[in-house]
Amino acid sequence: MYANEEFLIELLMESGNLTSADIEAARPHKKAQETIIETLLKSGKLSEDAVAKQLAISSGMDFIDLSKIEVDASVAAAIDVDVALRYKVVPVGFNGTNLYIAVSDPLDFDTLDSLRHVIQYEPEFVCSTQTQIKQCMMDIYSGELSAEQLRELSTGKVSVAGGDDSGGGGIGVGDGSSEGDAPIIRLVHQILQEAYQNRASDIHIEPLENELQIRYRIDGALHKIASHPRRLMSAVVSRIKIMTGSMSIAEKRLPQDGRIQASMGDRDLDLRVSTVPTSNGESVVMRILDKQSLMLGLPQLGFLSDDQETFDQLIRLPDGILLVTGPTGSGKTTTLYACLNTINKSDRKIITVEDPVEYLMSGINQVQVKEDVGMTFAAALRAILRQAPNIIMIGEIRDLETASIAINASLTGHLVFSTLHTNDAPSAVARLADIGVKRFLIASAVRAITAQRLVRFNCPDCIGPAVLSDKDIRSLKLDASQLADAEIKAGTGCRTCRNTGYKGRKGIFEILQIDQEVSHLINRNDSTPKLRSRARELGMRTLREDGVRKVLSGLTTASEVVRVTMGDSD
């Protein structure tokens, strides 16, 4: 009820409002869940006015009788009803640019400090009784309170906006929120739970001019799910920051990053949180990282049988560099983790260098890059080579120093996995050369380069036979022999796939193996188009050609393959 009851009792005894005899007389009547102050208030031995006035004097605040104050509507709008309920306070007037706020416990310094961060005005606190504050809430927010909230206020319950705000970076979402949870807490939990149930990979919470927009990225496409009053923005963002346990709710001018560990049913998820200040307020994006996806094997990535066999042989090589390329969001990290999961055995030491560490994997040593303290990719690589690993994963090769260390490691008996941002596999050779790696080293160290994209697969609940249009046939350059044995299928749209016809995403792949012939082309400094042309003659299948195979197998649609391989029309 009060933040520091022992100190309050001392104040009341010093002021003559209480005696030790009053306290001893109240103890036999004290219920299990009550405090001594609550028992004394209920018995009439102590008045709320006396408590509030003594707290005001000790805190240097003014005491205010709210029954004699009429709060203007513009003043009431200065604090959202959810914030008022959560902190049990009411706004009572303006003093220039400052806002007078009535509180019942000036000793609750956490509440006072939090209010300074969640309202848009500089607060000036005054003291009143809890009963008067609750009555004032009912008067000024009556049109915004639910029946349950009105009932709690009118019956005198003190926990009108319960819930745990301690943060710490962990939440439980799967069982829902209790009736006592604050509205903002329930709203945030609902957003997270709905995102999980809809298989979202990202949650976008975006302040617009007149609303707070909620969008989920599902199978790579953004869907607007809901909109809320814009006045909820500050409270929602503050709640998310508190849940990370590391982000500051006071800092709204700079970008911030954090993590939340969430339990949804029997699944453990990591949420990577990013906030960016915009002209309308802070935009929040939460990336949902499902730990169960660590158990993916190569078949779950989308490889067809022949490519799966080739790739499985590559990841079991004793040394060399295996590169995975593609734009941001093409599933490169998931592929690397699946590779490590496949070859993670007790007789091999595996170390990764990542920025950030997206998933924690059992049995693997993972190093987080921290450039602000000098822990760069290159610095981390130099250090881990002294740890005698068998296998190294580098989150991304970004510069010559990192590339040089990776190549040296591969040439001295280590198997190295890494990623590059290039559009196709042959372009990775030119990219490495551009950052300064000598071509003879590329030819000697790199064993294979895999380019990939993610395509949406047909929904298994509404899949059915389909027909390719003439435009699709021309786009994919299909001939009669290919269409003869094809099983063309598409999803018609249903509830489980949100009427899109697609459910889940898997990869299409382009695997360039660096054999003796390709090494010769690299050493000869052939251009990327020539390297690509020769690699295709030697058996490399392009991204679009792999996509065509999946269209003809009924796994995805022609429009989906064309969409993600627009630059691969050859």
Side-chain angles (χ1 to χ4, degrees):
M1 186 178 185
Y2 291 100
N4 194 333
E5 190 185 39
E6 291 183 6
F7 180 66
L8 178 57
I9 289 174
E10 289 181 13
L11 287 177
L12 293 169
M13 291 179 67
E14 288 176 3
S15 64
N17 290 289
L18 270 184
T19 66
S20 57
D22 292 330
I23 295 172
E24 292 304 317
R27 292 193 188 278
H29 304 285
K30 176 180 173 296
K31 295 181 179 179
Q33 302 300 321
E34 280 184 350
T35 66
I36 286 292
I37 295 291
E38 288 175 316
T39 304
L40 289 165
L41 287 171
K42 288 174 66 175
S43 68
K45 292 290 185 181
L46 189 63
S47 71
E48 275 196 281
D49 275 8
V51 174
K53 288 176 180 178
Q54 193 57 47
L55 283 170
I57 292 170
S58 66
S59 304
M61 291 183 188
D62 291 331
F63 172 79
I64 186 170
D65 185 349
L66 290 178
S67 64
K68 300 178 180 179
I69 298 292
E70 184 173 345
V71 179
D72 186 78
S74 62
V75 175
I79 294 183
D80 292 339
V81 60
D82 297 322
V83 175
L85 284 168
R86 178 180 180 183
Y87 295 107
K88 309 177 189 69
V89 300
V90 288
V92 293
F94 284 107
N95 177 19
T97 59
N98 292 1
L99 178 67
Y100 284 118
I101 301 175
V103 300
S104 62
D105 187 1
L107 301 180
D108 187 355
F109 301 117
D110 287 340
T111 289
L112 303 188
D113 186 57
S114 295
L115 282 167
R116 291 186 175 94
H117 299 311
V118 299
I119 64 174
Q120 298 179 353
Y121 303 93
E122 184 65 30
E124 288 190 25
F125 297 107
V126 294
C127 193
S128 189
T129 67
Q130 292 184 356
T131 298
Q132 288 190 357
I133 287 175
K134 285 187 282 186
Q135 183 59 52
C136 190
M137 282 184 193
M138 293 170 63
D139 292 340
I140 68 176
Y141 296 122
S142 58
E144 300 180 62
L145 293 169
S146 67
E148 179 66 23
Q149 291 165 337
L150 283 169
R151 185 162 54 251
E152 288 182 352
L153 286 170
S154 61
T155 55
K157 290 186 178 181
V158 297
S159 57
V160 296
D164 180 13
D165 259 354
S166 58
I171 61 170
V173 182
D175 298 326
S177 305
S178 69
E179 284 297 319
D181 281 350
I184 291 299
I185 296 176
R186 290 201 301 270
L187 174 60
V188 173
H189 282 198
Q190 179 185 353
I191 290 171
L192 297 181
Q193 180 134 14
E194 286 183 352
Y196 168 70
Q197 292 171 344
N198 282 281
R199 304 176 293 104
S201 60
D202 302 271
I203 303 169
H204 294 250
I205 301 175
E206 302 161 319
L208 305 180
E209 185 176 358
N210 299 311
E211 65 177 346
L212 183 65
Q213 177 177 263
I214 310 297
R215 294 195 292 173
Y216 299 156
R217 189 179 296 279
I218 303 170
D219 294 336
L222 277 172
H223 300 265
K224 182 174 179 178
I225 302 299
S227 61
H228 299 282
R230 191 177 181 278
R231 59 182 173 80
L232 299 182
M233 179 198 70
S234 180
V236 168
V237 175
S238 294
R239 172 60 185 166
I240 292 169
K241 288 181 177 180
I242 289 169
M243 290 165 69
T244 68
S246 61
M247 299 171 73
S248 170
I249 63 174
E251 181 56 73
K252 300 180 180 181
R253 300 165 300 173
L254 297 173
Q256 295 188 68
D257 295 295
R259 298 185 81 113
I260 298 171
Q261 291 183 339
S263 296
M264 300 190 187
D266 59 349
R267 300 283 285 272
D268 291 328
L269 306 180
D270 281 338
L271 286 86
R272 200 168 72 202
V273 182
S274 170
T275 64
V276 173
T278 71
S279 58
N280 291 315
E282 289 183 280
S283 173
V284 180
V285 175
M286 291 184 279
R287 176 96 180 271
I288 301 174
L289 307 172
D290 187 352
K291 294 181 179 180
Q292 189 163 325
S293 65
L294 291 179
M295 305 310 293
L296 287 178
L298 298 184
Q300 288 73 44
L301 294 178
F303 286 109
L304 295 179
S305 57
D306 53 348
D307 280 344
Q308 180 183 325
E309 183 179 352
T310 298
F311 202 73
D312 188 63
Q313 293 173 355
L314 291 171
I315 65 175
R316 298 180 190 279
L317 292 172
D319 55 32
I321 297 178
L322 301 181
L323 292 174
V324 180
T325 74
T328 300
S330 59
K332 300 187 298 296
T333 300
T334 300
T335 296
L336 289 183
Y337 277 121
C339 293
L340 296 184
N341 185 58
T342 301
I343 60 178
N344 184 16
K345 308 295 180 184
S346 60
D347 60 344
R348 296 169 180 168
K349 185 176 181 67
I350 302 175
I351 303 181
T352 73
V353 184
E354 304 172 65
D355 183 23
V357 174
E358 293 196 4
Y359 301 98
L360 296 177
M361 299 186 69
S362 176
I364 293 178
N365 302 276
Q366 295 172 267
V367 178
Q368 170 71 58
V369 169
K370 296 180 181 179
E371 294 193 358
D372 56 335
V373 296
M375 179 65 93
T376 62
F377 274 106
L381 275 172
R382 282 193 294 269
I384 67 174
L385 285 175
R386 293 191 287 272
Q387 297 278 310
N390 301 102
I391 299 164
I392 300 168
M393 187 192 91
I394 306 168
E396 182 184 351
I397 293 179
R398 299 179 177 177
D399 52 46
L400 177 59
E401 188 177 14
T402 303
S404 298
I405 298 172
I407 285 174
N408 288 333
S410 71
L411 294 175
T412 54
H414 303 85
L415 181 60
V416 179
F417 294 93
S418 191
T419 69
L420 275 178
H421 285 280
T422 62
N423 289 328
D424 58 17
S427 297
V429 175
R431 172 64 180 148
L432 289 173
D434 286 343
I435 64 176
V437 180
K438 297 186 183 305
R439 283 185 169 260
F440 76 89
L441 290 175
I442 300 173
S444 301
V446 179
R447 296 287 182 266
I449 304 166
T450 299
Q452 69 177 69
R453 299 289 189 278
L454 293 178
V455 295
R456 294 179 292 177
F457 270 34
N458 291 324
C459 173
D461 295 322
C462 61
I463 192 171
V467 178
L468 290 177
S469 67
D470 291 339
K471 181 180 177 181
D472 290 335
I473 293 173
R474 288 195 303 271
S475 297
L476 300 182
K477 297 183 178 178
L478 299 174
D479 56 37
S481 62
Q482 290 175 296
L483 294 171
D485 299 323
E487 297 182 13
I488 307 301
K489 295 181 180 180
T492 58
C494 64
R495 186 174 181 180
T496 60
C497 65
R498 300 181 60 85
N499 293 314
T500 62
Y502 301 103
K503 186 176 181 182
R505 291 189 297 169
K506 293 186 180 181
I508 56 174
F509 303 92
E510 176 177 286
I511 303 175
L512 171 61
Q513 297 186 69
I514 312 298
D515 56 15
Q516 187 173 359
E517 175 71 16
V518 176
S519 294
H520 176 67
L521 297 175
I522 295 172
N523 277 319
R524 204 172 62 186
N525 201 20
D526 277 4
S527 66
T528 299
K530 288 184 179 179
L531 181 61
R532 179 181 179 81
S533 176
R534 184 57 181 153
R536 291 186 66 186
E537 292 174 7
L538 295 171
M540 184 189 80
R541 206 167 12 242
T542 68
L543 287 165
R544 175 161 291 191
E545 288 168 345
D546 189 45
V548 167
R549 292 202 303 164
K550 287 163 184 172
V551 171
L552 299 177
S553 300
L555 300 174
T556 187
T557 62
S559 59
E560 186 69 5
V561 170
V562 171
R563 180 182 65 84
V564 301
T565 60
M566 288 295 291
D568 182 26
S569 58
D570 292 338

